[in-house]
Amino acid sequence: MDTPRRPERTGFLLSQLGSFAAARFAELVKPAGLTPATAGALRILARNPGLSQRALADRLGAVPSRVVVLVDALENAGLVSRTRDPDDRRHHRLDLTDAGRAALQGLRAAAEQQNADILGPLDPAEREAFAALISRLATAHGIDPDVHRGFGDHPHAR
Amino acid sequence: MDTPRRPERTGFLLSQLGSFAAARFAELVKPAGLTPATAGALRILARNPGLSQRALADRLGAVPSRVVVLVDALENAGLVSRTRDPDDRRHHRLDLTDAGRAALQGLRAAAEQQNADILGPLDPAEREAFAALISRLATAHGIDPDVHRGFGDHPHAR
DNA sequence: TATTGTTATACTCTATAACTATA
DNA sequence: TATAGTTATAGAGTATAACAATA
């Protein structure tokens, strides 16, 4: 019952499984009119009311013109509002609307569903062990829980 | 010392870590003039000498026009040869060149290096446990070890 | 002059559709 | 008429550079 495991494959399988997980998440948030990228921005804005686009760009590790597109999408979906900052009219203050806050709840549900879908094949103890190891690795590699790398990190990006 | 873990984050961290792993692999094979996509094609061709482009497309889950680009790249890099099949001149037989076989060795080395880089923070027992869990999940979700999903699986793809 | 946000433009990846050649 | 491969074209995503408004 021991498939002769080739240990050098773990990194490869991790890439694949990560892509699978990202695709699943994308599916789950699509009905809400979100993508992994806009979902990531929404989460940051939820915790940082009034953030400027520049500041959001820095958090996302994205370029300002990219943020325009992201915020356009969120604004068109009615989830985020842009208002000029009266103190410095160059800035836009970004805030979640009521619909945005509701969408945020949906994101949490999507994340839980994604988890259940991905980790379903493991029993509770194994899930716990897997979660702990993934968490350790993410921390060790400085992975920022805000930035959705799953999509948006193509070879020619950066 | 127990960071209160939010279990619904595991899927998210898995996406991120997978993308990280894919990006690392891309870096490692880039000096050899390969990308994750061409590397995946090369591996399939190594095990299936004389494969046609159509058959390769099926293995990759890609469309024939995509395979043209991939094989063009491999041929231009001198790693793969196209020869018309004398039995049915519509087909191209795809075969690795000597340089292609050498590149394949390099891919194995890259995979090992990627593994070491990713799993470095874990001790040997943990690596083993992680490898076993990842392997189980990959199998359970029907992940094909040939197809490089890490790149090339964009929302509008398919 | 420097900064924020926007627009214009370009590039990569990948798909669909039209086409060529072989069968 | 059907199939293998190619070319032409289009679309998504994201970057760089030029620009307008504001400071």
Side-chain angles (χ1 to χ4, degrees):
Chain A
M1 60 166 282
D2 253 10
T3 303
R5 186 149 45 242
R6 299 198 294 165
E8 84 279 6
R9 283 212 138 167
T10 304
F12 177 76
L13 292 179
L14 179 58
S15 307
Q16 304 260 108
L17 207 55
S19 178
F20 180 78
R24 184 70 190 116
F25 183 71
E27 277 175 20
L28 286 166
V29 301
K30 189 168 190 177
L34 291 169
T35 64
T38 53
L42 192 70
R43 266 199 316 242
I44 295 176
L45 294 177
R47 287 199 310 273
N48 302 275
L51 209 64
S52 73
Q53 290 187 197
R54 161 63 76 178
L56 178 58
D58 291 344
R59 296 282 188 113
L60 287 170
V63 91
S65 64
R66 170 77 182 125
V67 172
V68 172
V69 177
L70 251 31
V71 175
D72 279 354
L74 288 168
E75 195 181 36
N76 291 337
L79 305 180
V80 162
S81 65
R82 268 180 175 117
T83 54
R84 292 215 98 98
D85 185 338
D87 295 350
D88 183 341
R89 293 179 44 74
R90 289 174 304 183
H91 291 74
H92 277 161
R93 290 178 47 88
L94 302 174
D95 291 283
L96 265 59
T97 63
D98 288 343
R101 276 180 285 274
L104 199 69
Q105 295 305 316
L107 283 185
R108 296 209 179 92
E112 277 175 36
Q113 183 63 53
Q114 177 203 27
N115 248 276
D117 292 347
I118 303 293
L119 303 181
L122 302 182
D123 68 39
E126 290 169 329
R127 289 185 206 190
E128 183 59 33
F130 186 70
L133 289 168
I134 281 280
S135 184
R136 289 250 322 270
L137 287 174
T139 301
H141 291 299
I143 281 170
D144 182 334
D146 274 337
V147 182
H148 246 294
R149 294 191 54 146
F151 294 115
D153 208 15
H154 289 250
H156 61 288
R158 182 163 317 131
Chain B
M1 59 166 283
D2 252 10
T3 303
R5 183 146 49 243
R6 299 197 294 164
E8 84 279 7
R9 282 212 141 166
T10 305
F12 177 76
L13 292 178
L14 179 59
S15 306
Q16 303 260 108
L17 207 55
S19 179
F20 179 78
R24 184 71 189 115
F25 184 72
E27 277 175 20
L28 286 165
V29 300
K30 188 168 190 176
L34 290 169
T35 63
T38 53
L42 192 69
R43 268 201 314 245
I44 295 176
L45 294 176
R47 288 199 309 272
N48 301 275
L51 210 63
S52 72
Q53 291 187 196
R54 161 63 75 176
L56 177 57
D58 290 344
R59 295 283 188 112
L60 288 170
V63 92
S65 64
R66 170 79 181 125
V67 171
V68 172
V69 177
L70 252 30
V71 175
D72 280 354
L74 288 167
E75 193 180 38
N76 290 339
L79 305 180
V80 161
S81 65
R82 267 181 176 116
T83 54
R84 293 215 96 98
D85 185 337
D87 295 350
D88 184 340
R89 294 179 43 72
R90 290 173 304 182
H91 290 75
H92 277 160
R93 290 178 47 89
L94 302 174
D95 291 283
L96 265 60
T97 62
D98 288 344
R101 276 178 285 274
L104 199 69
Q105 296 303 317
L107 283 185
R108 296 208 179 92
E112 278 175 35
Q113 183 63 52
Q114 177 203 27
N115 249 277
D117 293 347
I118 303 291
L119 303 181
L122 303 182
D123 69 38
E126 290 169 329
R127 289 185 206 191
E128 183 60 33
F130 186 71
L133 290 168
I134 280 279
S135 183
R136 288 250 321 271
L137 288 174
T139 301
H141 291 298
I143 281 169
D144 182 333
D146 275 336
V147 181
H148 247 294
R149 294 191 54 142
F151 294 115
D153 207 16
H154 290 251
H156 61 289
R158 173 166 323 130

